[in-house]
Amino acid sequence: MPVSAVSGVTSKEGGSSYEIGGELGKNEFMKLLVTQLQNQDPLDPMDSHEYIAQLAQFSSLEQLQNINDKLDNLTEELASASNLIDREIEALGTLVTVEDGEPNEAFFELESDATAVFATISDANGGHVKSLQMGPMSAGKQTIMWDGTDANGNKVSDGQYTVDVQAVGTDGSVVDVTSLIKGTVTGAMFEDGVTTLLIGNTEIPLSSVIKITQGS
């Protein structure tokens, strides 16, 4: 009696499937190896060298797949970052960059009205530079007015500084403050697994961006 050819063989064990002619992924590879061990002849078991070689193949397959996944993520992140060049963004952050003696604008958002707002400016080493008293302010987004001088009125050196804002509410409680960085994206880079945007000389992690608008 003639026997017809077998086609369209599909395995769905464990919720996964593998079709003949399809790709052999690491899950399918591991299932084949386990099945091979379960069905080996106990009187003539698999040679240990062969078993180690197959495990090494499995390890290489997994590493290659992980590398491929990382490259896919890198490509996706860099594509997203490049699309932001010349766009206006708003990001979480406390950095202020001083260039040619002039600091860029620093922003923050108050959750509620405040009777008093204070800002402490520190250098890159955490050293105190200047304290600002900005009086009462309304809830919403506000701007820190700093002229780029220290506590003695001297111009600070070019570089990056941090601004810590504290606010007291009308009932004497602490008001939540969100520090913000705004500006036009001038570049992007990828280093140590992190995609970073550039606003001038200020580096901003892509993950900290909370708003994107069309550039001017």
Side-chain angles (χ1 to χ4, degrees):
M1 180 178 63
V3 179
S4 59
V6 178
S7 62
V9 176
T10 303
S11 170
K12 294 186 177 179
E13 181 182 354
S16 65
S17 63
Y18 173 71
E19 295 184 0
I20 290 180
E23 293 185 0
L24 182 63
K26 64 179 183 180
N27 293 331
E28 289 77 16
F29 189 97
M30 189 54 133
K31 286 181 179 179
L32 287 174
L33 183 58
V34 171
T35 301
Q36 185 178 9
L37 289 174
Q38 290 175 339
N39 293 279
Q40 65 179 332
D41 185 352
L43 299 178
D44 185 22
M46 182 191 304
D47 181 51
S48 60
H49 294 291
E50 183 180 354
Y51 176 63
I52 293 173
Q54 293 192 21
L55 281 179
Q57 290 176 4
F58 172 74
S59 178
S60 298
L61 173 66
E62 187 171 28
Q63 290 178 13
L64 287 173
Q65 184 166 341
N66 290 337
I67 292 173
N68 185 64
D69 291 341
K70 289 181 180 179
L71 288 175
D72 288 343
N73 292 335
L74 170 59
T75 301
E76 184 177 347
E77 284 202 16
L78 287 178
S80 299
S82 62
N83 289 334
L84 294 179
I85 295 177
D86 293 331
R87 301 286 293 274
E88 297 285 341
I89 67 167
E90 188 173 299
L92 301 175
T94 60
L95 288 178
V96 176
T97 301
V98 177
E99 189 173 358
D100 296 331
E102 296 296 328
N104 64 315
E105 289 185 309
F107 305 89
F108 62 95
E109 184 171 5
L110 294 173
E111 186 176 278
S112 58
D113 294 344
T115 57
V117 179
F118 308 90
T120 302
I121 300 171
S122 305
D123 60 24
N125 297 318
H128 179 267
V129 175
K130 191 172 187 176
S131 296
L132 303 174
Q133 297 184 18
M134 297 179 285
M137 287 186 168
S138 302
K141 294 179 180 178
Q142 304 287 351
T143 303
I144 299 173
M145 305 304 296
W146 178 42
D147 59 3
T149 62
D150 60 19
N152 297 318
N154 301 315
K155 280 286 187 180
V156 299
S157 303
D158 287 356
Q160 290 190 335
Y161 298 79
T162 58
V163 180
D164 179 40
V165 180
Q166 304 289 331
V168 179
T170 55
D171 59 354
S173 62
V174 175
V175 176
D176 287 337
V177 179
T178 302
S179 296
L180 302 169
I181 298 175
K182 297 181 182 179
T184 302
V185 178
T186 56
M189 62 182 184
F190 184 85
E191 186 176 3
D192 296 331
V194 177
T195 301
T196 304
L197 302 177
L198 299 175
I199 296 180
N201 293 324
T202 303
E203 298 180 4
I204 303 171
L206 179 61
S207 58
S208 69
V209 176
I210 59 174
K211 184 178 180 180
I212 304 169
T213 56
Q214 186 65 45
S216 57

